[in-house]
Amino acid sequence: MPLIQIKVFEGVLTEEKKSEMITRVTEVVAEIEARPYPKEKLQPYTWCVIEEVPAANWGIGGAPSSLELLKALLES
Amino acid sequence: MPLIQIKVFEGVLTEEKKSEMITRVTEVVAEIEARPYPKEKLQPYTWCVIEEVPAANWGIGGAPSSLELLKALLES
Amino acid sequence: MPLIQIKVFEGVLTEEKKSEMITRVTEVVAEIEARPYPKEKLQPYTWCVIEEVPAANWGIGGAPSSLELLKALLES
Amino acid sequence: MPLIQIKVFEGVLTEEKKSEMITRVTEVVAEIEARPYPKEKLQPYTWCVIEEVPAANWGIGGAPSSLELLKALLES
Amino acid sequence: MPLIQIKVFEGVLTEEKKSEMITRVTEVVAEIEARPYPKEKLQPYTWCVIEEVPAANWGIGGAPSSLELLKALLES
Amino acid sequence: MPLIQIKVFEGVLTEEKKSEMITRVTEVVAEIEARPYPKEKLQPYTWCVIEEVPAANWGIGGAPSSLELLKALLES
């Protein structure tokens, strides 16, 4: 019954990336919590919800962020 | 002062259904918490916020969901 | 797939009240979202999580609350 | 590492107000938690996320709210 | 109707600091959203909930945090 | 700046499992969002918070859960 909620900047994840994130994070969480039992026991009861928030609504250290800041960080 | 937050798939609730959900869930929560006092005492201090998340952002068991999957489930 | 998260003051709900709240709120939400299909289709995929927060951590209008304030409100 | 999440009605905050809210709330939270150390120590590790919810999805006392209700309240 | 949820490490805020944080953050948020109307119009409808999470449950950059790390950061 | 919040039953994760979960989930999320850039660019800005909720507060399909139910599910 783990419940995973992930918030990211709006506009940075393609549908493929979202799908991959849901699959892989769910597997990791189910595997760790279920161990020593197989993760397949817990996986059907594991939910993962991605919520997208505009970068300008997201403050880091007191200043609104932006997709440009994220890009600059990644390219740094 | 109960605070209710409900997440649902985007696009499945009409405005009428949202309004009904807010009213009925608020009444149930206020009634149970206030008992043996009347629910009207607590109801003005009960908030209910509905948040809508695209089905593709919502993973059940590791796979993204969809409105088609929900429809198939309901019609099964 | 509705997800219901309810925050209440710590120490006000007995185990019986929590159980009743989970059952009744789940039924209401599943019924409204599933309609015109029967609520039983959606209910297994409806989660309801109650989180308890100390009243002193909960500010209404800028002042921390308390169990005494809640009691006074209910008895008013 | 404080994490601040603020939910407001969609459509009531300009970009300027959002930016001001992020800055000032971050400073207050970092200052209080860091004290007696300077707030600058904690501020880079303080996040503030604003989420906007349609007023019709937000129930107060069991009834959906609206921007008209908010306006009437402010002008009262 | 703004709703403020603040997560902090468990054990770092005294009751006095929590109370001050609730009061000051509520005032800032109500003032900005209500402007040009007085903040007193909106303040009664502004909630601020502080939730305390053990530092070991809080990962920054992939490693669990601790009160010692927070202390070292503040004293740096 | 991804923010990951994971809710699990209270009492099922050892400190070692929590630490492993934080590390591995953070890496997966940072890797996917940062790609084609290296995950190390984004990882310092990725937070992962685990919150533990008593099983009796967690309803699946309208009934409170329990650690016994979880155990039975895993051993099934």
Side-chain angles (χ1 to χ4, degrees), chain C residues 22-74:
Chain C
I22 285 170
T23 301
R24 290 178 58 193
V25 169
T26 297
E27 286 176 350
V28 167
V29 168
E31 180 214 309
I32 295 172
E33 182 172 333
R35 191 186 307 148
Y37 300 97
K39 71 173 188 288
E40 285 73 16
K41 299 286 187 185
L42 195 59
Q43 196 161 317
Y45 301 94
T46 305
W47 287 11
C48 179
V49 181
I50 298 175
E51 293 175 84
E52 299 173 278
V53 178
N57 287 19
W58 196 308
I60 309 274
S65 199
S66 70
L67 295 184
E68 290 70 34
L69 276 172
L70 175 60
K71 193 158 180 285
L73 173 76
L74 291 173

Side-chain angles (χ1 to χ4, degrees), chain D residues 1-3 5-7 17 20 24 31-33 35 37 41 45 58 60 73-76, chain E residues 1-3 5-7 17 20 24 31-33 35 37 41 45 58 60 73-76:
Chain D
M1 298 73 172
L3 170 63
Q5 302 183 78
I6 304 176
K7 291 189 178 159
K17 282 192 169 188
E20 179 185 352
R24 289 177 59 194
E31 179 213 311
I32 294 173
E33 182 172 333
R35 189 185 309 147
Y37 300 97
K41 298 286 187 185
Y45 302 94
W58 195 307
I60 309 274
L73 174 75
L74 291 173
E75 293 178 343
S76 67
Chain E
M1 300 74 171
L3 170 63
Q5 302 184 76
I6 303 175
K7 291 190 178 159
K17 282 191 169 189
E20 180 185 350
R24 290 176 60 193
E31 181 214 310
I32 295 171
E33 182 173 333
R35 190 186 306 146
Y37 300 97
K41 298 286 186 185
Y45 302 92
W58 196 307
I60 308 273
L73 172 76
L74 291 173
E75 293 179 343
S76 68

Side-chain angles (χ1 to χ4, degrees), chain D:
Chain D
M1 298 73 172
L3 170 63
I4 307 148
Q5 302 183 78
I6 304 176
K7 291 189 178 159
V8 296
F9 285 178
E10 197 174 75
V12 299
L13 292 185
T14 60
E15 292 303 305
E16 288 71 23
K17 282 192 169 188
K18 281 190 222 168
S19 176
E20 179 185 352
M21 194 179 280
I22 285 170
T23 301
R24 289 177 59 194
V25 169
T26 297
E27 285 176 354
V28 166
V29 168
E31 179 213 311
I32 294 173
E33 182 172 333
R35 189 185 309 147
Y37 300 97
K39 72 173 187 289
E40 285 74 17
K41 298 286 187 185
L42 195 59
Q43 196 162 317
Y45 302 94
T46 304
W47 286 12
C48 180
V49 181
I50 298 176
E51 293 173 83
E52 299 174 277
V53 179
N57 287 19
W58 195 307
I60 309 274
S65 199
S66 69
L67 294 183
E68 290 69 35
L69 276 173
L70 174 61
K71 192 157 179 286
L73 174 75
L74 291 173
E75 293 178 343
S76 67

Side-chain angles (χ1 to χ4, degrees), chain B residues 1 17 35 41 58 76, chain C residues 1 17 35 41 58 76:
Chain B
M1 297 76 170
K17 281 192 170 188
R35 189 185 309 146
K41 298 287 186 184
W58 196 306
S76 68
Chain C
M1 301 73 172
K17 282 191 169 188
R35 191 186 307 148
K41 299 286 187 185
W58 196 308
S76 68

Side-chain angles (χ1 to χ4, degrees), chain B:
Chain B
M1 297 76 170
L3 169 63
I4 306 148
Q5 302 183 79
I6 303 176
K7 292 189 177 157
V8 296
F9 285 179
E10 198 173 75
V12 299
L13 292 186
T14 59
E15 293 303 303
E16 289 71 25
K17 281 192 170 188
K18 281 190 220 166
S19 175
E20 179 185 351
M21 194 179 281
I22 285 171
T23 301
R24 290 177 59 192
V25 169
T26 298
E27 285 176 354
V28 166
V29 169
E31 180 213 310
I32 295 172
E33 183 172 333
R35 189 185 309 146
Y37 300 96
K39 71 173 188 289
E40 286 74 17
K41 298 287 186 184
L42 195 59
Q43 197 162 317
Y45 302 93
T46 305
W47 287 10
C48 180
V49 181
I50 297 176
E51 293 174 83
E52 298 175 277
V53 178
N57 287 19
W58 196 306
I60 309 272
S65 198
S66 69
L67 295 184
E68 290 69 35
L69 276 174
L70 174 60
K71 191 155 180 286
L73 173 76
L74 291 174
E75 292 179 343
S76 68

